[in-house]
Each structure stands twice: as C-alpha cells, then as structure tokens.
Amino acid sequence: MESTSDKFRTSLILAESGLNQPKTVLIHHQDRALNTFDRMKSKYPIILKTLTGSLGVGVVKIETEEALSATTQLLYKLDPNMGVLLQDFIVADYDVRAHVVAGKFHGAIKRPIVKKDFRSNVALGSKPEALTLTKLEIDHCVQAAKAVDGLWVGVDFIPAKNREKDSPIFIEINSTPGTKGYKKATKENIAKDVLTTFKNRATWLKTKPFTSIYDKEKR
C-alpha cells in the first residue's frame, strides 16, 4: 500500500519492472510546470494528477499552456507541499480494471469513458462490463501487482491495439480498489474471496529484513 499511495513512486516502480506506461514526469515546483512539460516533449492535451487521490478526483485534462500554469498555481496555493505529476494523454474508448489478489489474477472489468468526460471511474458514472483478458495482459497485471508488493490491488490499464502481442499501457495501481462495479459486472463476490484468501497466513506479506549499505564491508 505504501508504494501505491504515491502515483509517481508507482510509476518509477513500473518503469524499473519494464512495464509499459504513459510518459510521466514530476512537477517539482509550480514555477517549473511549463519547463516540466517542455521536458516531456509531448503535445496537449495532457493529464495532470495529484500524487494521492482516488475515484477520479485529482485528475485533470489540461488542454493548453495557460491551463497548465493556472491549474498548478491553484493546487500549490491550496497546498504548497502538494505533489503533482504530468502524464501523456492517451485517447481510448475505455480502460480496464483488473483485480489481483495475493499475486493471482481474479478478474477484470471494462470501464467505458464517462459521457462528456475523459475519465472512466465507476464512481463518476461509468457502466462497467466483465472483460476477458489475454494471457499477456494477465501476466503483466500480476507482474505489476507483485512489483508494488500489492496484496489486493486494482491494476488500471489501456489495452494495446494488438492485445494478444503487445503490452497494455498501465495507468495506475490502486491499493484500495472499489468492488461495487466489479461485483455487478462479473457476478463475483471478490470481498468474500479476499477474506478467504487472507485467512491463510501464508498469503500475508512478509516484512523484508533491513540490509545496511555497510554489510559488505563487514564481511
């Protein structure tokens, strides 16, 4: 959960794991927003996200340089310590939310883009449908979940044009995934399955031992 509570940290972990995702950069200061966009070498529109947030809140589609400057100024006025990132905008009719529980794929839903919006969150009105994933998509979703040490996570991605051969484009990993739309679309009681899974202590995440950078010198 610690890894996925920061969207930029999640992005770095996915990059280290070699997983496909939109170009993503961190805005270090409100005065650096335009320079940060220039470093992306992208075109408008782009997506601006706060580092924390869920249910689609904190995600803004930026159409112009003026909008980028004004939006970042407003966010930093509300909270000078707020973390903000920019991400390439990818045109799509829907995205996918896959649930991974204890390192195993549970199921997935297709989330159509909400009418008169660019987001696909069920909380904003998207009407999800059950979706069968390809083996490649399942393998990469499980890889993404394991990369962030996710016990139960919702892995969000935009499918590639060739879903059988090309990697999906990962958008986010949610450590507190909602179940309402998923249960209705798939008819699966995932909450019950999660409880059953974690009754078994073997599925609990083990604490990683601390290793000092000086350990090698002691040998």
Side-chain angles (χ1 to χ4, degrees):
M1 186 171 180
E2 181 181 347
S3 298
T4 56
S5 62
D6 182 320
K7 295 178 182 179
F8 188 64
R9 183 177 180 183
T10 301
S11 174
L12 294 176
I13 293 172
L14 294 179
E16 289 177 355
S17 300
L19 294 167
N20 196 16
Q21 59 182 321
K23 189 184 302 179
T24 304
V25 294
L26 182 69
I27 298 178
H28 296 284
H29 189 274
Q30 64 175 3
D31 295 335
R32 305 295 297 172
L34 299 183
N35 288 338
T36 300
F37 172 74
D38 290 340
R39 284 195 291 111
M40 289 180 69
K41 300 186 183 302
S42 298
K43 295 181 179 180
Y44 292 102
I46 55 171
I47 297 298
L48 180 149
K49 295 180 179 180
T50 54
L51 296 191
T52 60
S54 60
L55 306 177
V57 179
V59 181
V60 183
K61 184 179 179 183
I62 302 293
E63 303 276 2
T64 65
E65 182 177 285
E66 291 81 4
L68 174 59
S69 181
T71 303
T72 51
Q73 287 174 3
L74 173 61
L75 290 173
Y76 280 107
K77 182 175 179 61
L78 294 172
D79 182 357
N81 298 314
M82 181 176 293
V84 179
L85 61 79
L86 297 179
Q87 199 169 65
D88 273 343
F89 173 67
I90 299 174
V91 178
D93 295 326
Y94 68 94
D95 71 7
V96 176
R97 161 67 61 86
H99 284 260
V100 179
V101 181
K104 295 182 179 180
F105 173 74
H106 188 277
I109 53 174
K110 171 183 178 180
R111 305 188 303 181
I113 302 300
V114 178
K115 188 176 181 180
K116 296 184 179 180
D117 204 326
F118 64 95
R119 294 166 292 182
S120 60
N121 302 79
V122 174
L124 298 177
S126 181
K127 306 298 182 184
E129 308 167 17
L131 182 67
T132 300
L133 300 192
T134 66
K135 183 180 184 305
L136 178 64
E137 289 170 337
I138 291 174
D139 289 346
H140 281 203
C141 283
V142 171
Q143 182 183 347
K146 289 182 176 180
V148 298
D149 288 332
L151 294 178
W152 171 24
V153 291
V155 181
D156 298 343
F157 69 85
I158 295 174
K161 290 183 179 180
N162 188 334
R163 294 177 55 203
E164 296 287 344
K165 295 183 178 180
D166 297 330
S167 172
I169 304 170
F170 290 98
I171 307 170
E172 289 184 13
I173 299 181
N174 194 321
S175 59
T176 55
T179 61
K180 184 177 179 181
Y182 180 81
K183 182 178 180 180
K184 184 176 181 180
T186 64
K187 312 303 180 188
E188 296 282 349
N189 189 345
I190 189 170
K192 180 180 178 181
D193 293 341
V194 168
L195 290 173
T196 300
T197 297
F198 291 108
K199 281 174 63 178
N200 179 2
R201 287 176 176 263
T203 61
W204 292 16
L205 186 65
K206 305 297 189 299
T207 302
K208 296 179 180 178
F210 173 75
T211 302
S212 169
I213 61 174
Y214 302 108
D215 281 353
K216 292 182 180 179
E217 297 179 6
K218 297 176 183 177
R219 296 171 187 167

